[in-house]
Amino acid sequence: MAHVAHPLIAGVLGTLAFTRTPPGTLRWIRDLDITADVGTVKAHAPNHLGCRLHTVPVWAQPLLASARTHHRLSGRPPGESLFAPVLIAGARQLRAHAARLPTLDLALPPRVLVA
């Protein structure tokens, strides 16, 4: 059985899983920070001290691509935060899900992680 999630929530959780950064860090990621092939994403730090490039794992590329597509279809500019709408609206829910990420074995094949 397949589950469908909002593309921004799926993108946030996927990005949190492979970057291992705090949820607040994602508010700075923009469409412009993702390469065209969705293979790399730049995570910003406050004042741009310590910004990092992260390789997007194959399993997370469709999640990040769908978040980017949602951003573009919403008519938002490429320089605006990609995840801002979901970080503001669903912060409590995201924190609850993000707290579970360290307990997941992300080295397993993606089909094992799907409920």
Side-chain angles (χ1 to χ4, degrees):
M1 175 179 274
H3 291 82
V4 177
H6 191 283
L8 292 181
I9 293 172
V12 165
L13 292 174
T15 304
L16 287 172
F18 71 81
T19 62
R20 304 286 185 175
T21 60
T25 305
L26 299 186
R27 71 176 178 254
W28 306 110
I29 294 177
R30 308 162 299 165
D31 185 352
L32 298 171
D33 296 319
I34 305 167
T35 57
D37 65 353
V38 194
T40 306
V41 64
K42 182 178 183 180
H44 296 279
N47 299 322
H48 297 286
L49 299 173
C51 295
R52 294 189 54 209
L53 291 176
H54 297 274
T55 301
V56 180
V58 173
W59 62 263
Q61 289 176 2
L63 303 175
L64 197 53
S66 66
R68 171 191 259 177
T69 300
H70 182 275
H71 178 84
R72 291 177 178 180
L73 291 174
S74 297
R76 297 175 40 229
E80 190 176 301
S81 172
L82 186 69
F83 300 121
V86 73
L87 290 173
I88 294 167
R92 184 175 1 148
Q93 195 174 34
L94 280 173
R95 278 194 297 272
H97 290 299
R100 291 182 50 224
L101 290 175
T103 64
L104 297 175
D105 183 0
L106 298 174
L108 294 172
R111 68 181 180 282
V112 175
L113 302 175
V114 177

